[in-house]
Amino acid sequence: MYLDKKYEDFRKSIREFAEKEIEPKAQEADEKAQFPYENIKKVAQLGLLGMVVPPEFGGTGIDTLRYAIAVEELSRVCGSTGITIAAHNSLAICPLYLFGSEEQKKKYIPPLAKGEKLGAFGLTEPDAGSDAGGTKTTAVLKGDSYVINGSKCFITNASVAGTFVITAATDKTKGTKGISSFILEKGMKGFTVGKKENKMGIRGSDTATLHFEDLKVPRENLLGKEGEGFKQFLVTLDGGRISIGAMALGIAQGAFEKALKYAKETIQFEKPLIESQAIQFKLADMATQIEAARHLIYHAAFLEDRGQKYVKESAMAKLFASEIGRFVTYEAIQIFGEYGYSRRYPVERYLRDVKLCEIGEGTSEIQRLVIFRELIK
């Protein structure tokens, strides 16, 4: 699709960086399930850890469309890097910037935006995934501190983060209106990080469990007001869905390009594979789906940048991009044949990585509920 030159120049710069610095280490990070610290340092130097906040808080303050392009281009070569950056920006920094007091913003955001620390967002629990309103973690006010008990699971950046935004029930009798948000810091007494998850995909991304046992958190670490946590994370997820959609889009684009190159270079039955109409049809369908997803994602970003409502559009973009991501990566493996099923080429990694996009930040089923509810309003 057509974009102004400033956006295409931005894409070009991120793509060159990703291909030079990120892609060479992507396969190793996946095979060893190893968090790519060196890559993240380079990403920080490029200003990509503070994309969602303005310079006064140490960020670059780029618009949502450029942010989506950055996640897309990083994910095109490495889904693990894409989700690390997306979770840090959309899920950790955004709620601090949107709902934090001036004192909280000045204290917590600059180190995150400059890459001195990574951030994480703790919402999912063993019994509260899609049903995020069923939060079991509790926070009880005792004097000048909240005492938090409970756990969070499948938390991106959990082991490597220094600052966390988590949700807990401050009044269980009020249901979703009794959920609040808190800012935690690594090293707080009673706050521990569990064993890393051994995942199917995005294996270079850090994912682990958080445990809270009589964790005392100063009253000033309450984010916003008591009872606003549910409303806060709904807003946070609306924006985060654009970045996860962009991640799925990037993975699909990467898989498509690898399949196209393979089809051009491979000879079967004494002619290039790409001369087979069956392969041509696959590539045509893949390219069409990718372009449609790109339009949805960029449109949602466009709406957010203009301060317009985008709840339905971000859910549609995330839903469609994640599902066509699965389709495109599957077709890429079909084009590669037996080689696609091996680890000789990265397309099998793309398939494993993109599956997360149908689950994280609201499953495809939840996206359909969000869309439907917006349709009948």
mmCIF file of all heavy atoms in Angstrom, residues 291-336:
data_model
loop_
_atom_site.group_PDB
_atom_site.id
_atom_site.type_symbol
_atom_site.label_atom_id
_atom_site.label_comp_id
_atom_site.label_asym_id
_atom_site.label_seq_id
_atom_site.Cartn_x
_atom_site.Cartn_y
_atom_site.Cartn_z
ATOM 1 N N GLU A 291 -1.574 -8.236 2.294
ATOM 2 C CA GLU A 291 -1.896 -6.838 1.995
ATOM 3 C C GLU A 291 -3.185 -6.408 2.673
ATOM 4 O O GLU A 291 -3.302 -5.271 3.158
ATOM 5 C CB GLU A 291 -1.996 -6.644 0.480
ATOM 6 C CG GLU A 291 -1.936 -5.195 0.040
ATOM 7 C CD GLU A 291 -0.619 -4.515 0.372
ATOM 8 O OE1 GLU A 291 0.371 -5.204 0.665
ATOM 9 O OE2 GLU A 291 -0.578 -3.268 0.337
ATOM 10 N N ALA A 292 -4.153 -7.299 2.734
ATOM 11 C CA ALA A 292 -5.409 -6.983 3.426
ATOM 12 C C ALA A 292 -5.158 -6.745 4.917
ATOM 13 O O ALA A 292 -5.707 -5.806 5.520
ATOM 14 C CB ALA A 292 -6.422 -8.114 3.228
ATOM 15 N N ALA A 293 -4.338 -7.591 5.521
ATOM 16 C CA ALA A 293 -3.993 -7.422 6.937
ATOM 17 C C ALA A 293 -3.268 -6.108 7.170
ATOM 18 O O ALA A 293 -3.521 -5.401 8.158
ATOM 19 C CB ALA A 293 -3.130 -8.595 7.408
ATOM 20 N N ARG A 294 -2.380 -5.771 6.253
ATOM 21 C CA ARG A 294 -1.624 -4.519 6.391
ATOM 22 C C ARG A 294 -2.577 -3.313 6.382
ATOM 23 O O ARG A 294 -2.422 -2.378 7.169
ATOM 24 C CB ARG A 294 -0.586 -4.415 5.280
ATOM 25 C CG ARG A 294 0.306 -3.182 5.380
ATOM 26 C CD ARG A 294 1.480 -3.236 4.422
ATOM 27 N NE ARG A 294 2.491 -4.183 4.886
ATOM 28 C CZ ARG A 294 2.831 -5.301 4.254
ATOM 29 N NH1 ARG A 294 2.244 -5.624 3.114
ATOM 30 N NH2 ARG A 294 3.760 -6.093 4.756
ATOM 31 N N HIS A 295 -3.564 -3.338 5.507
ATOM 32 C CA HIS A 295 -4.532 -2.247 5.451
ATOM 33 C C HIS A 295 -5.299 -2.127 6.775
ATOM 34 O O HIS A 295 -5.512 -1.011 7.268
ATOM 35 C CB HIS A 295 -5.515 -2.464 4.292
ATOM 36 C CG HIS A 295 -5.001 -1.991 2.973
ATOM 37 N ND1 HIS A 295 -5.279 -0.748 2.464
ATOM 38 C CD2 HIS A 295 -4.203 -2.586 2.053
ATOM 39 C CE1 HIS A 295 -4.693 -0.591 1.295
ATOM 40 N NE2 HIS A 295 -4.031 -1.696 1.016
ATOM 41 N N LEU A 296 -5.725 -3.248 7.330
ATOM 42 C CA LEU A 296 -6.463 -3.214 8.591
ATOM 43 C C LEU A 296 -5.610 -2.654 9.722
ATOM 44 O O LEU A 296 -6.077 -1.824 10.519
ATOM 45 C CB LEU A 296 -6.943 -4.627 8.955
ATOM 46 C CG LEU A 296 -8.208 -5.129 8.251
ATOM 47 C CD1 LEU A 296 -8.404 -6.617 8.540
ATOM 48 C CD2 LEU A 296 -9.431 -4.340 8.697
ATOM 49 N N ILE A 297 -4.374 -3.109 9.820
ATOM 50 C CA ILE A 297 -3.495 -2.666 10.900
ATOM 51 C C ILE A 297 -3.158 -1.191 10.764
ATOM 52 O O ILE A 297 -3.238 -0.418 11.731
ATOM 53 C CB ILE A 297 -2.208 -3.522 10.924
ATOM 54 C CG1 ILE A 297 -2.547 -4.953 11.332
ATOM 55 C CG2 ILE A 297 -1.170 -2.933 11.896
ATOM 56 C CD1 ILE A 297 -1.485 -5.958 10.983
ATOM 57 N N TYR A 298 -2.802 -0.784 9.573
ATOM 58 C CA TYR A 298 -2.437 0.616 9.371
ATOM 59 C C TYR A 298 -3.647 1.532 9.572
ATOM 60 O O TYR A 298 -3.514 2.665 10.044
ATOM 61 C CB TYR A 298 -1.855 0.819 7.975
ATOM 62 C CG TYR A 298 -0.466 0.222 7.777
ATOM 63 C CD1 TYR A 298 0.134 -0.582 8.739
ATOM 64 C CD2 TYR A 298 0.247 0.465 6.607
ATOM 65 C CE1 TYR A 298 1.389 -1.127 8.553
ATOM 66 C CE2 TYR A 298 1.519 -0.072 6.406
ATOM 67 C CZ TYR A 298 2.081 -0.875 7.378
ATOM 68 O OH TYR A 298 3.328 -1.408 7.189
ATOM 69 N N HIS A 299 -4.830 1.046 9.218
ATOM 70 C CA HIS A 299 -6.039 1.849 9.425
ATOM 71 C C HIS A 299 -6.309 2.046 10.916
ATOM 72 O O HIS A 299 -6.644 3.156 11.363
ATOM 73 C CB HIS A 299 -7.240 1.176 8.760
ATOM 74 C CG HIS A 299 -8.540 1.890 8.988
ATOM 75 N ND1 HIS A 299 -8.755 3.196 8.591
ATOM 76 C CD2 HIS A 299 -9.693 1.489 9.590
ATOM 77 C CE1 HIS A 299 -9.986 3.566 8.923
ATOM 78 N NE2 HIS A 299 -10.563 2.546 9.535
ATOM 79 N N ALA A 300 -6.157 0.984 11.705
ATOM 80 C CA ALA A 300 -6.339 1.101 13.158
ATOM 81 C C ALA A 300 -5.324 2.074 13.743
ATOM 82 O O ALA A 300 -5.651 2.897 14.610
ATOM 83 C CB ALA A 300 -6.219 -0.275 13.819
ATOM 84 N N ALA A 301 -4.079 1.987 13.272
ATOM 85 C CA ALA A 301 -3.033 2.908 13.731
ATOM 86 C C ALA A 301 -3.376 4.347 13.341
ATOM 87 O O ALA A 301 -3.180 5.290 14.125
ATOM 88 C CB ALA A 301 -1.686 2.502 13.139
ATOM 89 N N PHE A 302 -3.882 4.513 12.132
ATOM 90 C CA PHE A 302 -4.295 5.825 11.630
ATOM 91 C C PHE A 302 -5.363 6.431 12.543
ATOM 92 O O PHE A 302 -5.298 7.616 12.893
ATOM 93 C CB PHE A 302 -4.825 5.653 10.200
ATOM 94 C CG PHE A 302 -5.366 6.899 9.562
ATOM 95 C CD1 PHE A 302 -4.538 7.746 8.838
ATOM 96 C CD2 PHE A 302 -6.717 7.223 9.671
ATOM 97 C CE1 PHE A 302 -5.048 8.900 8.248
ATOM 98 C CE2 PHE A 302 -7.228 8.369 9.080
ATOM 99 C CZ PHE A 302 -6.386 9.209 8.371
ATOM 100 N N LEU A 303 -6.340 5.641 12.943
ATOM 101 C CA LEU A 303 -7.403 6.129 13.814
ATOM 102 C C LEU A 303 -6.869 6.537 15.177
ATOM 103 O O LEU A 303 -7.240 7.588 15.723
ATOM 104 C CB LEU A 303 -8.486 5.057 13.972
ATOM 105 C CG LEU A 303 -9.314 4.720 12.731
ATOM 106 C CD1 LEU A 303 -10.271 3.570 13.032
ATOM 107 C CD2 LEU A 303 -10.090 5.937 12.227
ATOM 108 N N GLU A 304 -5.991 5.695 15.739
ATOM 109 C CA GLU A 304 -5.427 6.032 17.048
ATOM 110 C C GLU A 304 -4.619 7.325 16.978
ATOM 111 O O GLU A 304 -4.704 8.173 17.870
ATOM 112 C CB GLU A 304 -4.539 4.898 17.572
ATOM 113 C CG GLU A 304 -3.992 5.199 18.961
ATOM 114 C CD GLU A 304 -3.188 4.078 19.565
ATOM 115 O OE1 GLU A 304 -2.939 3.070 18.886
ATOM 116 O OE2 GLU A 304 -2.782 4.223 20.744
ATOM 117 N N ASP A 305 -3.849 7.489 15.922
ATOM 118 C CA ASP A 305 -3.034 8.695 15.777
ATOM 119 C C ASP A 305 -3.885 9.957 15.686
ATOM 120 O O ASP A 305 -3.418 11.050 16.038
ATOM 121 C CB ASP A 305 -2.141 8.587 14.536
ATOM 122 C CG ASP A 305 -0.946 7.672 14.756
ATOM 123 O OD1 ASP A 305 -0.514 7.533 15.917
ATOM 124 O OD2 ASP A 305 -0.451 7.101 13.765
ATOM 125 N N ARG A 306 -5.112 9.818 15.235
ATOM 126 C CA ARG A 306 -5.993 10.975 15.095
ATOM 127 C C ARG A 306 -6.973 11.107 16.248
ATOM 128 O O ARG A 306 -7.924 11.899 16.188
ATOM 129 C CB ARG A 306 -6.728 10.908 13.742
ATOM 130 C CG ARG A 306 -5.826 11.378 12.623
ATOM 131 C CD ARG A 306 -6.098 10.709 11.305
ATOM 132 N NE ARG A 306 -5.079 11.109 10.325
ATOM 133 C CZ ARG A 306 -3.840 10.596 10.292
ATOM 134 N NH1 ARG A 306 -3.472 9.674 11.170
ATOM 135 N NH2 ARG A 306 -2.968 11.005 9.388
ATOM 136 N N GLY A 307 -6.767 10.327 17.275
ATOM 137 C CA GLY A 307 -7.602 10.429 18.460
ATOM 138 C C GLY A 307 -9.014 9.934 18.260
ATOM 139 O O GLY A 307 -9.921 10.283 19.026
ATOM 140 N N GLN A 308 -9.233 9.109 17.241
ATOM 141 C CA GLN A 308 -10.560 8.584 16.972
ATOM 142 C C GLN A 308 -10.721 7.197 17.606
ATOM 143 O O GLN A 308 -9.730 6.516 17.907
ATOM 144 C CB GLN A 308 -10.790 8.494 15.459
ATOM 145 C CG GLN A 308 -10.749 9.852 14.770
ATOM 146 C CD GLN A 308 -10.900 9.741 13.269
ATOM 147 O OE1 GLN A 308 -11.440 8.759 12.762
ATOM 148 N NE2 GLN A 308 -10.422 10.738 12.538
ATOM 149 N N LYS A 309 -11.946 6.783 17.776
ATOM 150 C CA LYS A 309 -12.214 5.478 18.381
ATOM 151 C C LYS A 309 -11.708 4.359 17.471
ATOM 152 O O LYS A 309 -11.926 4.393 16.253
ATOM 153 C CB LYS A 309 -13.716 5.319 18.614
ATOM 154 C CG LYS A 309 -14.081 4.114 19.456
ATOM 155 C CD LYS A 309 -15.572 4.084 19.745
ATOM 156 C CE LYS A 309 -15.927 2.872 20.608
ATOM 157 N NZ LYS A 309 -17.384 2.782 20.880
ATOM 158 N N TYR A 310 -11.039 3.378 18.068
ATOM 159 C CA TYR A 310 -10.441 2.319 17.247
ATOM 160 C C TYR A 310 -10.556 0.935 17.892
ATOM 161 O O TYR A 310 -9.864 -0.003 17.487
ATOM 162 C CB TYR A 310 -8.959 2.634 16.966
ATOM 163 C CG TYR A 310 -8.094 2.685 18.210
ATOM 164 C CD1 TYR A 310 -7.341 1.580 18.601
ATOM 165 C CD2 TYR A 310 -8.034 3.824 18.997
ATOM 166 C CE1 TYR A 310 -6.551 1.611 19.740
ATOM 167 C CE2 TYR A 310 -7.247 3.866 20.137
ATOM 168 C CZ TYR A 310 -6.508 2.757 20.501
ATOM 169 O OH TYR A 310 -5.738 2.795 21.638
ATOM 170 N N VAL A 311 -11.438 0.786 18.866
ATOM 171 C CA VAL A 311 -11.572 -0.495 19.572
ATOM 172 C C VAL A 311 -11.919 -1.622 18.600
ATOM 173 O O VAL A 311 -11.257 -2.674 18.576
ATOM 174 C CB VAL A 311 -12.654 -0.394 20.673
ATOM 175 C CG1 VAL A 311 -12.871 -1.766 21.320
ATOM 176 C CG2 VAL A 311 -12.249 0.627 21.721
ATOM 177 N N LYS A 312 -12.948 -1.419 17.797
ATOM 178 C CA LYS A 312 -13.369 -2.445 16.836
ATOM 179 C C LYS A 312 -12.281 -2.695 15.801
ATOM 180 O O LYS A 312 -11.980 -3.847 15.457
ATOM 181 C CB LYS A 312 -14.674 -2.017 16.156
ATOM 182 C CG LYS A 312 -15.118 -2.892 14.980
ATOM 183 C CD LYS A 312 -16.531 -2.551 14.525
ATOM 184 C CE LYS A 312 -16.657 -1.139 14.016
ATOM 185 N NZ LYS A 312 -16.008 -0.967 12.681
ATOM 186 N N GLU A 313 -11.704 -1.617 15.303
ATOM 187 C CA GLU A 313 -10.707 -1.740 14.240
ATOM 188 C C GLU A 313 -9.443 -2.436 14.711
ATOM 189 O O GLU A 313 -8.854 -3.234 13.966
ATOM 190 C CB GLU A 313 -10.381 -0.343 13.689
ATOM 191 C CG GLU A 313 -11.486 0.267 12.851
ATOM 192 C CD GLU A 313 -12.642 0.835 13.670
ATOM 193 O OE1 GLU A 313 -12.519 0.899 14.922
ATOM 194 O OE2 GLU A 313 -13.659 1.229 13.074
ATOM 195 N N SER A 314 -9.006 -2.174 15.939
ATOM 196 C CA SER A 314 -7.795 -2.854 16.426
ATOM 197 C C SER A 314 -8.064 -4.334 16.658
ATOM 198 O O SER A 314 -7.200 -5.183 16.405
ATOM 199 C CB SER A 314 -7.283 -2.196 17.709
ATOM 200 O OG SER A 314 -8.182 -2.373 18.782
ATOM 201 N N ALA A 315 -9.280 -4.668 17.123
ATOM 202 C CA ALA A 315 -9.636 -6.078 17.317
ATOM 203 C C ALA A 315 -9.716 -6.795 15.970
ATOM 204 O O ALA A 315 -9.253 -7.928 15.829
ATOM 205 C CB ALA A 315 -10.964 -6.189 18.061
ATOM 206 N N MET A 316 -10.310 -6.131 14.976
ATOM 207 C CA MET A 316 -10.374 -6.721 13.633
ATOM 208 C C MET A 316 -8.979 -6.932 13.056
ATOM 209 O O MET A 316 -8.685 -7.972 12.463
ATOM 210 C CB MET A 316 -11.167 -5.803 12.700
ATOM 211 C CG MET A 316 -12.665 -5.811 12.910
ATOM 212 S SD MET A 316 -13.467 -4.645 11.772
ATOM 213 C CE MET A 316 -15.184 -5.128 11.979
ATOM 214 N N ALA A 317 -8.127 -5.943 13.234
ATOM 215 C CA ALA A 317 -6.769 -6.025 12.693
ATOM 216 C C ALA A 317 -5.990 -7.164 13.338
ATOM 217 O O ALA A 317 -5.314 -7.950 12.650
ATOM 218 C CB ALA A 317 -6.039 -4.696 12.921
ATOM 219 N N LYS A 318 -6.089 -7.264 14.644
ATOM 220 C CA LYS A 318 -5.370 -8.326 15.361
ATOM 221 C C LYS A 318 -5.916 -9.698 14.992
ATOM 222 O O LYS A 318 -5.161 -10.644 14.738
ATOM 223 C CB LYS A 318 -5.487 -8.074 16.860
ATOM 224 C CG LYS A 318 -4.532 -8.901 17.720
ATOM 225 C CD LYS A 318 -5.181 -10.162 18.240
ATOM 226 C CE LYS A 318 -4.328 -10.847 19.279
ATOM 227 N NZ LYS A 318 -4.834 -12.178 19.656
ATOM 228 N N LEU A 319 -7.242 -9.828 14.947
ATOM 229 C CA LEU A 319 -7.875 -11.093 14.595
ATOM 230 C C LEU A 319 -7.467 -11.541 13.194
ATOM 231 O O LEU A 319 -7.000 -12.666 12.996
ATOM 232 C CB LEU A 319 -9.399 -10.945 14.661
ATOM 233 C CG LEU A 319 -10.233 -12.099 14.096
ATOM 234 C CD1 LEU A 319 -10.011 -13.362 14.917
ATOM 235 C CD2 LEU A 319 -11.712 -11.722 14.054
ATOM 236 N N PHE A 320 -7.626 -10.660 12.223
ATOM 237 C CA PHE A 320 -7.354 -11.024 10.844
ATOM 238 C C PHE A 320 -5.870 -11.293 10.607
ATOM 239 O O PHE A 320 -5.498 -12.299 9.991
ATOM 240 C CB PHE A 320 -7.841 -9.911 9.906
ATOM 241 C CG PHE A 320 -7.773 -10.285 8.451
ATOM 242 C CD1 PHE A 320 -8.709 -11.140 7.889
ATOM 243 C CD2 PHE A 320 -6.774 -9.785 7.638
ATOM 244 C CE1 PHE A 320 -8.645 -11.495 6.545
ATOM 245 C CE2 PHE A 320 -6.700 -10.118 6.299
ATOM 246 C CZ PHE A 320 -7.637 -10.977 5.741
ATOM 247 N N ALA A 321 -5.017 -10.422 11.120
ATOM 248 C CA ALA A 321 -3.579 -10.583 10.890
ATOM 249 C C ALA A 321 -3.046 -11.863 11.517
ATOM 250 O O ALA A 321 -2.222 -12.568 10.921
ATOM 251 C CB ALA A 321 -2.816 -9.376 11.432
ATOM 252 N N SER A 322 -3.513 -12.187 12.709
ATOM 253 C CA SER A 322 -3.011 -13.398 13.366
ATOM 254 C C SER A 322 -3.467 -14.659 12.635
ATOM 255 O O SER A 322 -2.711 -15.623 12.499
ATOM 256 C CB SER A 322 -3.451 -13.437 14.836
ATOM 257 O OG SER A 322 -4.859 -13.474 14.953
ATOM 258 N N GLU A 323 -4.707 -14.643 12.139
ATOM 259 C CA GLU A 323 -5.211 -15.834 11.450
ATOM 260 C C GLU A 323 -4.631 -15.969 10.050
ATOM 261 O O GLU A 323 -4.363 -17.088 9.601
ATOM 262 C CB GLU A 323 -6.733 -15.831 11.445
ATOM 263 C CG GLU A 323 -7.292 -15.975 12.867
ATOM 264 C CD GLU A 323 -8.766 -16.308 12.922
ATOM 265 O OE1 GLU A 323 -9.459 -16.175 11.895
ATOM 266 O OE2 GLU A 323 -9.235 -16.708 14.013
ATOM 267 N N ILE A 324 -4.413 -14.870 9.341
ATOM 268 C CA ILE A 324 -3.755 -15.008 8.031
ATOM 269 C C ILE A 324 -2.266 -15.301 8.226
ATOM 270 O O ILE A 324 -1.634 -15.911 7.361
ATOM 271 C CB ILE A 324 -3.966 -13.774 7.117
ATOM 272 C CG1 ILE A 324 -3.174 -12.559 7.597
ATOM 273 C CG2 ILE A 324 -5.431 -13.480 6.935
ATOM 274 C CD1 ILE A 324 -1.876 -12.338 6.870
ATOM 275 N N GLY A 325 -1.725 -14.923 9.363
ATOM 276 C CA GLY A 325 -0.339 -15.285 9.659
ATOM 277 C C GLY A 325 -0.172 -16.789 9.723
ATOM 278 O O GLY A 325 0.796 -17.358 9.198
ATOM 279 N N ARG A 326 -1.153 -17.440 10.371
ATOM 280 C CA ARG A 326 -1.124 -18.909 10.423
ATOM 281 C C ARG A 326 -1.264 -19.495 9.017
ATOM 282 O O ARG A 326 -0.554 -20.432 8.649
ATOM 283 C CB ARG A 326 -2.239 -19.410 11.336
ATOM 284 C CG ARG A 326 -2.465 -20.915 11.276
ATOM 285 C CD ARG A 326 -3.335 -21.396 12.420
ATOM 286 N NE ARG A 326 -4.507 -20.572 12.631
ATOM 287 C CZ ARG A 326 -5.661 -20.704 11.992
ATOM 288 N NH1 ARG A 326 -5.785 -21.623 11.033
ATOM 289 N NH2 ARG A 326 -6.705 -19.941 12.283
ATOM 290 N N PHE A 327 -2.170 -18.939 8.233
ATOM 291 C CA PHE A 327 -2.390 -19.421 6.871
ATOM 292 C C PHE A 327 -1.126 -19.254 6.013
ATOM 293 O O PHE A 327 -0.701 -20.184 5.320
ATOM 294 C CB PHE A 327 -3.554 -18.652 6.238
ATOM 295 C CG PHE A 327 -3.638 -18.788 4.745
ATOM 296 C CD1 PHE A 327 -4.138 -19.935 4.152
ATOM 297 C CD2 PHE A 327 -3.200 -17.758 3.915
ATOM 298 C CE1 PHE A 327 -4.202 -20.062 2.762
ATOM 299 C CE2 PHE A 327 -3.257 -17.867 2.527
ATOM 300 C CZ PHE A 327 -3.757 -19.033 1.953
ATOM 301 N N VAL A 328 -0.525 -18.079 6.062
ATOM 302 C CA VAL A 328 0.635 -17.798 5.211
ATOM 303 C C VAL A 328 1.835 -18.658 5.602
ATOM 304 O O VAL A 328 2.520 -19.212 4.739
ATOM 305 C CB VAL A 328 0.999 -16.299 5.278
ATOM 306 C CG1 VAL A 328 2.354 -16.035 4.613
ATOM 307 C CG2 VAL A 328 -0.080 -15.461 4.603
ATOM 308 N N THR A 329 2.093 -18.800 6.883
ATOM 309 C CA THR A 329 3.247 -19.610 7.302
ATOM 310 C C THR A 329 3.032 -21.087 6.981
ATOM 311 O O THR A 329 3.981 -21.793 6.623
ATOM 312 C CB THR A 329 3.524 -19.430 8.812
ATOM 313 O OG1 THR A 329 2.332 -19.703 9.564
ATOM 314 C CG2 THR A 329 3.984 -18.010 9.116
ATOM 315 N N TYR A 330 1.796 -21.538 7.094
ATOM 316 C CA TYR A 330 1.478 -22.927 6.726
ATOM 317 C C TYR A 330 1.726 -23.148 5.235
ATOM 318 O O TYR A 330 2.335 -24.139 4.826
ATOM 319 C CB TYR A 330 0.027 -23.231 7.086
ATOM 320 C CG TYR A 330 -0.412 -24.641 6.761
ATOM 321 C CD1 TYR A 330 -0.229 -25.677 7.672
ATOM 322 C CD2 TYR A 330 -1.023 -24.929 5.539
ATOM 323 C CE1 TYR A 330 -0.634 -26.974 7.367
ATOM 324 C CE2 TYR A 330 -1.428 -26.218 5.226
ATOM 325 C CZ TYR A 330 -1.234 -27.230 6.143
ATOM 326 O OH TYR A 330 -1.631 -28.506 5.832
ATOM 327 N N GLU A 331 1.259 -22.218 4.425
ATOM 328 C CA GLU A 331 1.452 -22.336 2.978
ATOM 329 C C GLU A 331 2.932 -22.245 2.607
ATOM 330 O O GLU A 331 3.371 -22.891 1.649
ATOM 331 C CB GLU A 331 0.650 -21.264 2.249
ATOM 332 C CG GLU A 331 -0.855 -21.461 2.285
ATOM 333 C CD GLU A 331 -1.292 -22.672 1.477
ATOM 334 O OE1 GLU A 331 -1.212 -23.809 2.017
ATOM 335 O OE2 GLU A 331 -1.720 -22.512 0.327
ATOM 336 N N ALA A 332 3.670 -21.442 3.342
ATOM 337 C CA ALA A 332 5.111 -21.344 3.080
ATOM 338 C C ALA A 332 5.782 -22.700 3.277
ATOM 339 O O ALA A 332 6.631 -23.119 2.470
ATOM 340 C CB ALA A 332 5.735 -20.299 3.995
ATOM 341 N N ILE A 333 5.390 -23.406 4.324
ATOM 342 C CA ILE A 333 5.951 -24.742 4.561
ATOM 343 C C ILE A 333 5.563 -25.686 3.434
ATOM 344 O O ILE A 333 6.371 -26.501 2.970
ATOM 345 C CB ILE A 333 5.491 -25.281 5.931
ATOM 346 C CG1 ILE A 333 6.190 -24.500 7.053
ATOM 347 C CG2 ILE A 333 5.785 -26.776 6.065
ATOM 348 C CD1 ILE A 333 5.761 -24.894 8.436
ATOM 349 N N GLN A 334 4.331 -25.582 2.960
ATOM 350 C CA GLN A 334 3.902 -26.425 1.836
ATOM 351 C C GLN A 334 4.765 -26.175 0.599
ATOM 352 O O GLN A 334 5.127 -27.112 -0.120
ATOM 353 C CB GLN A 334 2.436 -26.143 1.507
ATOM 354 C CG GLN A 334 1.443 -26.696 2.511
ATOM 355 C CD GLN A 334 1.463 -28.213 2.592
ATOM 356 O OE1 GLN A 334 1.996 -28.784 3.530
ATOM 357 N NE2 GLN A 334 0.885 -28.873 1.608
ATOM 358 N N ILE A 335 5.101 -24.932 0.352
ATOM 359 C CA ILE A 335 5.923 -24.605 -0.809
ATOM 360 C C ILE A 335 7.331 -25.179 -0.653
ATOM 361 O O ILE A 335 7.914 -25.699 -1.612
ATOM 362 C CB ILE A 335 5.960 -23.074 -1.022
ATOM 363 C CG1 ILE A 335 4.581 -22.591 -1.490
ATOM 364 C CG2 ILE A 335 7.035 -22.680 -2.044
ATOM 365 C CD1 ILE A 335 4.419 -21.091 -1.536
ATOM 366 N N PHE A 336 7.857 -25.147 0.529
ATOM 367 C CA PHE A 336 9.190 -25.709 0.791
ATOM 368 C C PHE A 336 9.166 -27.241 0.811
ATOM 369 O O PHE A 336 10.208 -27.873 0.648
ATOM 370 C CB PHE A 336 9.719 -25.207 2.134
ATOM 371 C CG PHE A 336 10.448 -23.899 2.073
ATOM 372 C CD1 PHE A 336 9.762 -22.700 2.139
ATOM 373 C CD2 PHE A 336 11.833 -23.859 1.962
ATOM 374 C CE1 PHE A 336 10.426 -21.484 2.095
ATOM 375 C CE2 PHE A 336 12.511 -22.651 1.916
ATOM 376 C CZ PHE A 336 11.816 -21.466 1.983
#
